[in-house]
Amino acid sequence: MGGLSLRGLSKSYGSLDIMRDLSLEIADGEFAVFLGPSGCGKSTLLRMVAGLEAPTSGEIHLGNRRIDAIAPGERGVAMVFQNYALYPHMTVKQNMAFGLRNVGTPRDEIASKIAIAAKMLEIAHLLDRKPGQLSGGQRQRVAIGRAIVKQPEVFLFDEPLSNLDAALRSRTRIELARLHQRVQSTMIFVTHDQVEAMTMATRIVVMNHGRIEQVGAPMEIYRKPSTRFVASFIGSPSMNFLPVVQAGESDGRALVRLADGTVVATEILSASVPRSGEMTLGVRAEHVTPGSGTAARVDVVERLGERTLVYAIVDDGSTIVYDEPGDVAPAIGEHVRLSLDPANVMLFDAAGLAYHAEPRA
Amino acid sequence: MSGAILPAPSQRTATTGSGIGMSAWANMFFVLPYIIVVVALVIAPLFLGIWLSFQDYDMLGGWAGGVAFENYTNLFSDRIFLGTIRNTLLFVVMTTPAFVVVGLFLAITLNSHLRRHAVLRSVFFASSVLSVTVVTLVWRLVYLPNQGLLASVTNLLGLPGIDPVTSETWALPGVAVVTVWWIIGLPMTLFLAALQQIPKEIYEAAALDRASRWATLTSITLPSIRRTIVVVTLLEVILQFQLFGQALLITGGGPDNRSRPMVQFIYETGFRDLQVGFAAAASQVLFALMLVAAIVQFWVGRSRDER
């Protein structure tokens, strides 16, 4: 057993750079989620760990072994593919046994390993069926079972939930989290779905354009995104972004002015914020309260059951979404006033770098 | 109660039935040209051939009435004809596995996006477009006693000379080699098409499952293209039973009838000796053999499929 260490990984196809000098440490037993939009390099990174893609340069270490130059099967990793990649002509049992047979595992040991995994995944009654006779969710379980029986040091999941329907997806999320607690192996999970990342990860690795934007625990990434990209990618609804200009300071904390002239107080140390340049204010829907403050006109009301979202348009034309605290939502076209919670407002500079509130001593 | 319910559905069935009938007759016009061609050129000759095989029909002497099974009894006491059955079966047994194995080998080797593999695919397929005359001409040069390419190579290596044209042992294998060389392109192409249908992830999963190259071939590739293997085998069995041109042009059926195929026998009795009834009977034997071989192949392929 051991942690995974990616050191200075680069990948390019001809002159096209997919990834440049990426380094990351994943601790033993961690559930790491690579999160990012399609084309950000997260799957390529996973495939490099699996050995299905060779890095152009850099090293991959698992425990105290360097694994980037050895064959996929000898790395101690198992992978669950997006389309499951089950062997269509083999039964479920044969699918699960194939990897074990190839390394000469004794017959009765194979049988007992399959029995344990099948029981854990509740697929014991499917063992003699072929993949073509299974539903999507069942195939998914078989694919996970095929990985489990190998008892790998690292499990790799390549968007395994994207072919499941919504109900099954949320159930499988919980089962995977449970599986992780049970087997205690390192798991790397690739997804573009932030809900999957937030619910399962012990640590999220947010990627964009072949670079790591931020690495952190789910709530840390949610509360303190380090870049505007992370802030916009994580959270539903997406964070509100409003163009602002700096309006001096109060008590060492930055003040900013919205397009309509409203001055917004923040808890961000003004000394930490660059003096010049365009700034963008970021605030999440739950930190905007109706009552007083900047004027806006209600555009759309979304009732989600447990919360109601109101999309309102401010003077400069940008949209602010906020949580309506009461049960009675305002009517469309109604004028409201919105205030932003100073402790939860963040600023982004022109390069997209974030500045966060500092708690007062 | 049931009496009240029943009439309604039966009425509805009647109306739809006549509707389908109308359109079916209209559809017939679209398939009519095809049906005419099939009846005139396939079905009628088939039955005419069967009828002829029971007649004493000579192109010079004319029709001399039915002879029941006499043509067939004569055939099965004809040592040359029995020899051609043996030769044809041997030829099918020699070539069909070669087409499957060599075709598969070429397809697996050349199944990539490399430019040189694309060139080689074209090269291996190119010979298929040549006519049998050109192919046999080339191979007669290869098989030329003492001076041909084969003789030069065996001389160079100090091996005993092989002379397919005049050797009773090597005549049929010689023809088989020419045939495989000539039309290996078709099985190769069919296998290539099948190989390209196998999803890449399955091979990746196999790599992660530590499958050796051999295990990957036997456990992943071959089972995935099993249907194509059956199709190629069936196709080649049917094609190779009809051996004629190569044998006629390279060995002329000799030496001592050791490479004379059934089609050549049919051709010679029918078109040289003009005994049409006798030739028709031989044709029916060939037809029956091909039918049996095809059915056995199909049945073996299917029963394995169901397992």
Side-chain angles (χ1 to χ4, degrees), chain A residues 8-78:
Chain A
L9 287 180
S10 298
K11 177 74 187 174
S12 48
Y13 295 104
S15 60
L16 181 68
D17 280 343
I18 303 291
M19 191 176 294
R20 193 179 292 165
D21 196 25
L22 183 147
S23 295
L24 179 68
E25 298 289 327
I26 296 168
D28 187 15
E30 200 165 8
F31 197 130
V33 174
F34 295 173
L35 176 67
S38 36
C40 72
K42 57 191 192 298
S43 281
T44 307
L45 188 58
L46 190 81
R47 291 168 60 81
M48 288 201 283
V49 174
L52 302 174
E53 208 80 69
T56 311
S57 64
E59 297 179 7
I60 303 171
H61 294 254
L62 177 57
N64 44 23
R65 285 190 304 147
R66 183 176 168 181
I67 60 166
D68 53 83
I70 61 178
E74 287 160 21
R75 295 187 175 200
V77 302

Side-chain angles (χ1 to χ4, degrees), chain A residues 47 50 52 73-74 77 79 81 85-90 98-99 102-103 130 146 150, chain B residues 200-202 204-212 215-216 219-220 223-224 226 305 307:
Chain A
R47 291 168 60 81
L52 302 174
E74 287 160 21
V77 302
M79 183 155 165
F81 292 81
L86 298 175
Y87 310 120
H89 50 276
M90 295 187 198
F98 189 60
N102 287 330
V103 293
K130 288 192 176 171
R146 188 170 68 176
K150 290 194 277 186
Chain B
K200 206 178 92 216
E201 294 91 57
I202 294 187
E204 293 179 343
L208 282 159
D209 269 343
R210 294 187 77 159
S212 62
T216 308
S219 301
I220 310 291
S224 301
R226 195 186 49 224
D305 208 45
R307 230 176 285 151

Side-chain angles (χ1 to χ4, degrees), chain A residues 21 43 64 75 124 149 180 199-200 205 209 237 246 290 297 328:
Chain A
D21 196 25
S43 281
N64 44 23
R75 295 187 175 200
V149 292
H180 177 242
T199 49
M200 291 187 292
V205 179
H209 296 307
Q246 295 186 44
R297 187 174 45 81
V328 185

Side-chain angles (χ1 to χ4, degrees), chain A residues 56-308:
Chain A
T56 311
S57 64
E59 297 179 7
I60 303 171
H61 294 254
L62 177 57
N64 44 23
R65 285 190 304 147
R66 183 176 168 181
I67 60 166
D68 53 83
I70 61 178
E74 287 160 21
R75 295 187 175 200
V77 302
M79 183 155 165
V80 177
F81 292 81
Q82 182 172 5
N83 299 316
Y84 318 132
L86 298 175
Y87 310 120
H89 50 276
M90 295 187 198
T91 63
V92 168
K93 195 190 281 177
Q94 290 165 335
N95 260 285
M96 290 165 79
F98 189 60
L100 300 173
R101 276 198 289 132
N102 287 330
V103 293
T105 312
R107 199 175 281 264
D108 42 344
E109 196 182 325
I110 293 178
S112 77
K113 279 183 172 173
I114 290 177
I116 292 167
K119 193 171 168 227
M120 192 195 297
L121 295 163
E122 295 167 30
I123 51 171
H125 59 296
L126 305 173
L127 285 178
D128 292 319
R129 294 210 202 154
K130 288 192 176 171
Q133 299 165 300
L134 304 178
S135 70
Q138 291 170 331
R139 281 181 217 186
Q140 230 270 338
R141 286 157 180 276
V142 175
I144 294 171
R146 188 170 68 176
I148 288 177
V149 292
K150 290 194 277 186
Q151 294 173 320
E153 291 176 59
V154 182
F155 283 89
L156 307 173
F157 296 94
D158 188 8
E159 308 210 23
L161 308 185
S162 53
N163 290 340
L164 303 179
D165 64 54
L168 198 53
R169 201 180 308 159
S170 68
R171 209 165 69 215
T172 312
R173 278 206 311 261
I174 295 166
E175 282 176 10
L176 279 177
R178 202 174 285 149
L179 175 74
H180 177 242
Q181 286 166 17
R182 201 156 157 175
V183 299
Q184 296 285 325
S185 297
T186 310
M187 292 188 175
I188 302 178
F189 189 101
V190 163
T191 182
H192 61 263
D193 181 349
Q194 47 129 344
V195 178
E196 287 173 17
M198 291 293 288
T199 49
M200 291 187 292
T202 50
R203 220 152 49 113
I204 297 178
V205 179
V206 185
M207 293 184 66
N208 190 28
H209 296 307
R211 285 181 299 111
I212 293 178
E213 291 272 337
Q214 188 174 4
V215 181
M219 285 319 281
E220 180 190 341
I221 292 212
Y222 183 77
R223 292 209 175 108
K224 286 195 157 187
S226 62
T227 64
R228 185 172 165 168
F229 171 80
V230 177
S232 66
F233 199 77
I234 298 270
S236 174
S238 194
M239 186 182 275
N240 295 301
F241 295 105
L242 302 165
V244 291
V245 291
Q246 295 186 44
E249 58 168 76
S250 152
D251 204 7
R253 307 287 163 154
L255 298 174
V256 291
R257 183 180 291 120
L258 298 175
D260 68 350
T262 316
V263 173
V264 176
T266 74
E267 288 291 318
I268 301 163
L269 290 174
S270 69
S272 69
V273 183
R275 287 287 132 208
S276 59
E278 290 172 29
M279 300 293 280
T280 305
L281 176 150
V283 64
R284 293 205 184 274
E286 61 264 36
H287 301 129
V288 180
T289 16
S292 60
T294 187
R297 187 174 45 81
V298 173
D299 186 31
V300 174
V301 175
E302 260 189 347
R303 289 178 188 83
L304 302 176
E306 80 279 16
R307 68 199 282 205
T308 299

